[in-house]
Amino acid sequence: MEFEEIYRRYFRDVYRFSLSLAQDGPLAEEIAQDTFFRALKALNTFDGSKDIRAWLFTIARNAYYSHCRAQKRTISAEDLPQERPDGVRVEERLEDEETAFAIHQFLHGMGEPYKEVFTLRVFGELPYEKIGRLFGKSANWARVTFYRAKVQIVEHMEAMKQ
């Protein structure tokens, strides 16, 4: 597949993924553009054994983290919401920018495959079947791994609240 076609086909997905990370339209556009610049430079390293969208999302996530490091964005425990209503799903908590950044910080250090499965499911909006195929596993494996990742995130956020 030609790079121009990859750009046309996946730019919107990469932009939406970047927007979910950055919570800022112009920054998301910059991250998406940087993602495709990095992808163009590294296209010869992509072997095609995995979904190209997942590869692009990984590059976008790394571009976002690079941007955050360059801006030295951090969040303190006092900036986090003090109360969390019971029953709120982790995906819904990502809507709050500060909480989202705290979750992204935790995700950055989270072990594989939890980090990648969670990212692909929540930000990439991939179905469990495709996530399972990316890892050479079943859809059920992807569901269980996603659930375990959510549990880790919730426990971390609860610990930060205390």
Side-chain angles (χ1 to χ4, degrees):
M1 184 180 321
E2 298 266 339
F3 188 77
E4 188 175 320
E5 182 181 341
I6 293 169
Y7 181 85
R8 274 197 311 266
R9 192 177 210 178
Y10 297 106
F11 181 82
R12 194 174 74 176
D13 292 337
V14 171
Y15 171 77
R16 285 189 315 204
F17 176 74
S18 300
L19 185 60
S20 73
L21 294 172
Q23 301 293 310
D24 176 352
L27 178 57
E29 176 113 12
E30 183 180 325
I31 291 168
Q33 291 294 340
D34 188 32
T35 297
F36 282 97
F37 177 72
R38 291 178 184 200
L40 179 61
K41 287 184 358 184
L43 192 59
N44 61 338
T45 65
F46 181 70
D47 63 5
S49 65
K50 300 202 176 186
D51 182 34
I52 193 160
R53 214 167 73 143
W55 181 66
L56 290 169
F57 288 164
T58 301
I59 295 171
R61 184 185 68 227
N62 291 337
Y64 173 70
Y65 290 149
S66 294
H67 172 78
C68 290
R69 279 190 299 277
Q71 298 299 312
K72 295 184 178 154
R73 289 178 63 183
T74 59
I75 188 166
S76 65
E78 298 87 46
D79 293 334
L80 292 174
Q82 295 304 311
E83 293 190 23
R84 174 174 118 17
D86 289 332
V88 174
R89 294 175 44 189
V90 172
E91 296 91 332
E92 294 172 59
R93 294 199 65 200
L94 290 174
E95 293 174 11
D96 176 38
E97 184 177 334
E98 292 176 357
T99 303
F101 189 71
I103 291 172
H104 287 297
Q105 283 182 314
F106 180 73
L107 271 174
H108 184 65
M110 183 183 269
E112 295 294 348
Y114 303 106
K115 173 173 52 174
E116 191 72 16
V117 169
F118 185 85
T119 301
L120 291 171
R121 179 70 180 156
V122 173
F123 305 120
E125 301 175 357
L126 287 180
Y128 293 117
E129 292 75 21
K130 285 190 178 182
I131 295 170
R133 274 192 284 158
L134 283 173
F135 286 89
K137 308 275 185 179
S138 68
N140 195 43
W141 173 88
R143 277 186 196 88
V144 170
T145 305
F146 177 73
Y147 173 78
R148 290 177 180 166
K150 280 187 359 180
V151 168
Q152 288 180 32
I153 292 168
V154 169
E155 287 174 354
H156 173 75
M157 296 305 289
E158 290 295 323
M160 287 184 70
K161 215 167 75 167
Q162 296 174 4

